[in-house]
Amino acid sequence: MMGWVIAILFGSAVVLLILSFFKTTQSKSNLEQQIDQVTFSLKNEIHELQQQIRNIELDAEITAHQSGSMKGSSEDRLLLREILDLHKRGYSFESIALKKQLTPNEVERMLLPYLSKRAERSMVVQ
């Protein structure tokens, strides 16, 4: 009789040990999923913040060159921001013109105030 009780207790212990392993792996899996979700949401927020910072920097540069004169509409300002952003990313006048359906001369004319400042800076450095 005592042997049966010990065998039943031993069998119960093995079953409980196996169940604890399954529960542990499930809780780890849930924790990993939560960490992944937090990571993805943080990456999205960082990307949005970087885009907002880029827009603010471009707006600040445009405002500095316009020195307070807000002659253009918000659409013109948005177009200028996009053109300036593309130029800063290294796009050529021709590729910017194709993307924005303008002529390369129009793009160059719009970017001319921003290009002359850089040219003056590089001449001072040399």
Side-chain angles (χ1 to χ4, degrees):
M1 176 84 167
M2 190 66 136
W4 284 102
V5 173
I6 292 175
I8 290 173
L9 288 175
F10 184 72
S12 299
V14 169
V15 169
L16 289 174
L17 182 65
I18 292 171
L19 285 176
S20 71
F21 281 126
F22 284 127
K23 289 289 186 180
T24 303
T25 56
Q26 286 178 351
S27 66
K28 284 182 181 179
S29 170
N30 289 339
L31 183 62
E32 288 173 355
Q33 288 176 352
Q34 289 174 352
I35 289 173
D36 286 344
Q37 289 174 350
V38 169
T39 302
F40 289 133
S41 66
L42 283 176
K43 285 182 181 180
N44 287 338
E45 288 180 24
I46 289 171
H47 176 70
E48 290 173 12
L49 287 173
Q50 287 173 335
Q51 187 63 37
Q52 288 176 355
I53 289 171
R54 173 182 278 143
N55 289 341
I56 289 171
E57 288 173 345
L58 294 172
D59 280 343
E61 190 169 342
I62 291 169
T63 302
H65 285 291
Q66 290 178 345
S67 63
S69 64
M70 297 297 290
K71 297 177 186 175
S73 68
S74 62
E75 292 173 1
D76 293 339
R77 187 176 182 92
L78 181 62
L79 177 66
L80 183 57
R81 178 195 301 165
E82 291 171 353
I83 289 173
L84 187 58
D85 183 41
L86 290 172
H87 177 69
K88 283 189 172 199
R89 290 185 193 182
Y91 285 80
S92 67
F93 293 147
E94 292 79 17
S95 61
I96 295 172
L98 284 174
K99 280 185 174 281
K100 296 299 170 184
Q101 298 175 348
L102 300 168
T103 66
N105 289 336
E106 289 175 321
V107 172
E108 186 174 1
R109 182 183 49 81
M110 292 176 80
L111 290 175
L112 188 62
Y114 307 98
L115 298 176
S116 64
K117 282 285 188 185
R118 290 202 179 110
E120 291 172 5
R121 289 182 200 156
S122 63
M123 291 172 74
V124 171
V125 172
Q126 293 175 354

